[in-house]
Amino acid sequence: MSVRRYELSDFEWSVIEPLLPNKPRGVARVDDRRVLNGIFWRLRTGSPWADIPERYGPPTTCYNRFVRWRKAGVWDRIFEAVSRAYEGELQMIDSSSIRVHQHGANAKKGVRRKPRLGTTLQPDAWGARGAD
């Protein structure tokens, strides 16, 4: 599997791997690193679990492991270990953007909208103080 842009580096994997549960049960588990990359892909993109690319394994495996590890506290241990490994120098930036709906962007310039019937434009209607 080739390393992709946002997947775990070897250093990150060396920090995380010892923290993962290692209780072998009947059937061998899908590769933890591959599943973690799938979980991180889903969290980063915000898409539905069902849209996880096939290279990360079955979406149900990623979802089930995410939920089980959340209940077991595995994620807390991972976050603490990664923070220690980077000595608090890890920074995250939220790059969300909020866009206007396509129909909200077509208002004509210079046109004032009238308030709904029964709505007053007096400051006292909004609970402003000193509106006499």
Side-chain angles (χ1 to χ4, degrees):
M1 178 167 71
S2 64
V3 178
R4 296 179 187 264
R5 184 174 179 187
Y6 295 110
E7 294 184 353
L8 292 171
S9 67
D10 291 334
F11 171 70
E12 292 165 337
W13 179 242
S14 69
V15 171
I16 292 172
E17 185 179 21
L19 304 170
L20 301 179
N22 193 12
K23 293 181 181 176
R25 296 181 183 170
V27 179
R29 289 193 329 198
V30 177
D31 179 30
D32 286 330
R33 186 173 183 171
R34 189 172 84 168
V35 173
L36 272 174
N37 284 329
I39 292 169
F40 293 149
W41 181 91
R42 190 272 178 203
L43 296 175
R44 185 179 55 258
T45 62
S47 26
W49 287 101
D51 291 347
I52 292 176
E54 291 179 14
R55 66 180 174 265
Y56 298 123
T60 52
T61 301
C62 294
Y63 172 77
N64 290 337
R65 199 163 300 176
F66 175 77
V67 171
R68 267 190 259 125
W69 286 359
R70 182 186 65 210
K71 290 178 183 175
V74 174
W75 292 111
D76 295 330
R77 291 195 304 267
I78 290 173
F79 291 140
E80 289 171 13
V82 170
S83 294
R84 280 193 309 272
Y86 281 101
E87 298 174 357
E89 294 181 14
L90 183 64
Q91 297 178 4
M92 296 184 184
I93 298 172
D94 182 11
S95 62
S96 338
S97 81
I98 300 171
R99 299 179 64 179
V100 175
H101 188 271
Q102 62 186 2
H103 298 122
N106 296 330
K108 294 181 182 178
K109 293 183 180 179
V111 176
R112 297 193 73 181
R113 295 178 61 190
K114 295 181 180 178
R116 294 184 194 162
L117 289 175
T119 305
T120 61
L121 296 178
Q122 303 303 320
D124 61 342
W126 306 320
R129 295 184 185 173
D132 292 323

